[in-house]
């Protein structure tokens, strides 16, 4: 069940890429790190809130429907793919 939840979250948000961008700002002297972090914030990729997504009906195990709906605020739908609203 946790694998299904992990898959759902990673489909909506690439935490590894986000982590990599942040870690890249840690290199160099303080002034360079400050500039890199400011650039990261300025050029941060659009990331939609989980509530902006709709999951196809049956895409997740029944045991996870409530946590995903109530915890992530993701709505079930009948579409065939994960789509942004």
């Amino acid at each position: 069940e946790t694998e299904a939840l992990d898959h759902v979250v990673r489909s909506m948000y690439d935490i590894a890429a986000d982590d990599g961008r942040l870690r890249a700002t840690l290199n160099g002297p303080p002034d360079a790190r400050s500039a890199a972090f400011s650039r990261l914030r300025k050029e941060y990729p659009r990331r939609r809130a989980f509530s902006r997504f709709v999951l196809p009906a049956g895409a997740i195990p029944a045991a996870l429907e409530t946590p995903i709906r109530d915890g992530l605020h993701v709505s079930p739908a009948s579409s065939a793919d994960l789509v942004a609203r």
Side-chain angles (χ1 to χ4, degrees):
E1 291 180 352
T2 58
E3 288 179 23
L5 183 57
D6 182 64
H7 176 72
V8 168
V9 172
R10 289 179 189 272
S11 295
M12 294 184 277
Y13 171 59
D14 187 351
I15 194 168
D18 202 21
D19 178 68
R21 286 187 297 269
L22 179 60
R23 288 179 189 269
T25 68
L26 301 176
N27 299 322
D31 288 347
R33 292 193 310 255
S34 176
F37 184 75
S38 292
R39 191 171 44 258
L40 174 68
R41 290 188 56 174
K42 182 178 180 182
E43 299 170 0
Y44 197 78
R46 173 175 260 177
R47 183 180 72 194
R48 297 190 181 276
F50 290 136
S51 62
R52 301 275 301 169
F53 289 88
V54 176
L55 290 173
I60 53 174
L64 293 177
E65 287 180 6
T66 299
I68 288 175
R69 185 188 63 240
D70 297 347
L72 297 177
H73 304 287
V74 175
S75 303
S78 59
S79 63
D81 298 310
L82 183 69
V83 294
R85 283 194 245 165

